[in-house]
Amino acid sequence: MRERFEQQMEILHTELIELGALCEQAIGRTYEVLLEGNQRAAEEIIKKDQVVDAKEREIEDLCFRIILQQQPVARDLRQVSAALKMITDMERIGDQAADIADIVKVTSLDVPDASIRLKDMAKATASMVTKCIDAYVKQDLNLAREVIDSDDIVDDLFDEVKDEILQGMRKGITTDVQSLDYLMIAKYYERIGDHATNIAEWVVYSINGHHKGE
């Protein structure tokens, strides 16, 4: 019974890594698309969100099978329960990457000074997603807490983007519509950071049974 459980958990870890990679790639591609204004590539990101959704459902089914067939308890149950929570946030990360691509697809954007901060936000949030999945698989409490701390960096970058967008409007570098689009993109990155933080908090729960929301 224990051997079967461990085999299923290995499959779960592999599936989570694949889902995390999809999310990381989507985040990275959003900034490339933003720079290039490539509407075709933006459409590909939106279509990829369907892959993320399908992968989330596969992992959800696997988690339920593990619970029903193996009836795990204590830490084993926390790991499976945490995975169920994590994939919800990962699915939303895919949604927000698609939302960014949606903006690029319908809008002509000239890259303002804020683009540097947007790139930093994209890199930071992609890294957070990778690290929190790594922390779950390795059951690394310190790495999970590092992800949680990284959310402050993303929040600070969001504030800097808002300031630079405002300056761009004042200088006439960007139109009101362009500024709003950039602000929305920055907000989506900020939300991705929040979801990555949620994932890391569930990793902490899977390790020690404590969750920030409790």
Side-chain angles (χ1 to χ4, degrees):
M1 181 72 77
R2 184 67 194 179
E3 183 179 352
R4 174 61 177 162
F5 173 77
E6 289 177 353
Q7 288 174 349
Q8 288 180 311
M9 288 303 294
E10 285 181 12
I11 295 171
L12 175 59
H13 292 168
T14 300
E15 294 289 321
L16 283 170
I17 290 169
E18 290 179 5
L19 180 55
L22 286 170
C23 291
E24 181 187 8
Q25 290 166 11
I27 297 166
R29 286 288 287 154
T30 54
Y31 185 72
E32 293 174 16
V33 169
L34 178 62
L35 280 181
E36 299 164 2
N38 188 330
Q39 294 188 2
R40 186 172 181 179
E43 189 62 45
E44 290 175 5
I45 293 173
I46 295 168
K47 289 179 180 178
K48 277 283 187 180
D49 185 41
Q50 297 174 5
V51 179
V52 171
D53 292 345
K55 180 64 72 175
E56 184 221 6
R57 290 191 293 271
E58 288 175 14
I59 296 174
E60 184 180 59
D61 289 344
L62 175 59
C63 287
F64 286 139
R65 286 201 304 273
I66 293 173
I67 292 171
L68 291 172
Q69 294 171 4
Q70 306 301 323
Q71 298 181 355
V73 296
R75 183 167 178 169
D76 291 341
L77 179 59
R78 290 202 307 269
Q79 286 192 54
V80 180
S81 300
L84 280 168
K85 297 289 187 179
M86 290 163 59
I87 59 174
T88 298
D89 280 294
M90 293 167 77
E91 187 270 335
R92 289 174 182 166
I93 287 172
D95 287 345
Q96 269 134 28
D99 288 335
I100 293 171
D102 235 349
I103 293 174
V104 176
K105 193 177 72 166
V106 300
T107 310
S108 176
L109 298 173
D110 295 323
V111 181
D113 294 339
S115 66
I116 297 173
R117 297 291 181 265
L118 289 176
K119 181 178 182 180
D120 290 341
M121 291 184 79
K123 289 173 64 177
T125 52
S127 176
M128 287 172 72
V129 171
T130 301
K131 286 180 179 178
C132 60
I133 300 302
D134 199 27
Y136 175 81
V137 172
K138 295 178 179 177
Q139 291 289 278
D140 189 329
L141 191 59
N142 290 330
L143 187 56
R145 287 173 173 160
E146 181 183 324
V147 173
I148 294 169
D149 291 340
S150 296
D151 192 43
D152 290 336
I153 297 172
V154 176
D155 289 342
D156 289 343
L157 286 167
F158 179 59
D159 290 337
E160 291 174 18
V161 169
K162 287 192 294 184
D163 290 341
E164 289 176 355
I165 287 172
L166 183 59
Q167 292 177 22
M169 290 176 65
R170 288 173 177 169
K171 295 176 181 178
I173 297 173
T174 56
T175 66
D176 290 350
V177 173
Q178 286 174 325
S179 297
L180 181 59
D181 286 334
Y182 274 108
L183 184 60
M184 286 300 300
I185 290 168
K187 185 61 181 176
Y188 284 132
Y189 283 133
E190 191 260 346
R191 287 177 182 170
I192 289 171
D194 288 342
H195 288 304
T197 301
N198 289 343
I199 294 170
E201 288 172 353
W202 284 112
V203 173
V204 171
Y205 168 78
S206 76
I207 297 170
N208 62 20
H210 298 293
H211 189 265
K212 186 176 179 181
E214 296 178 343

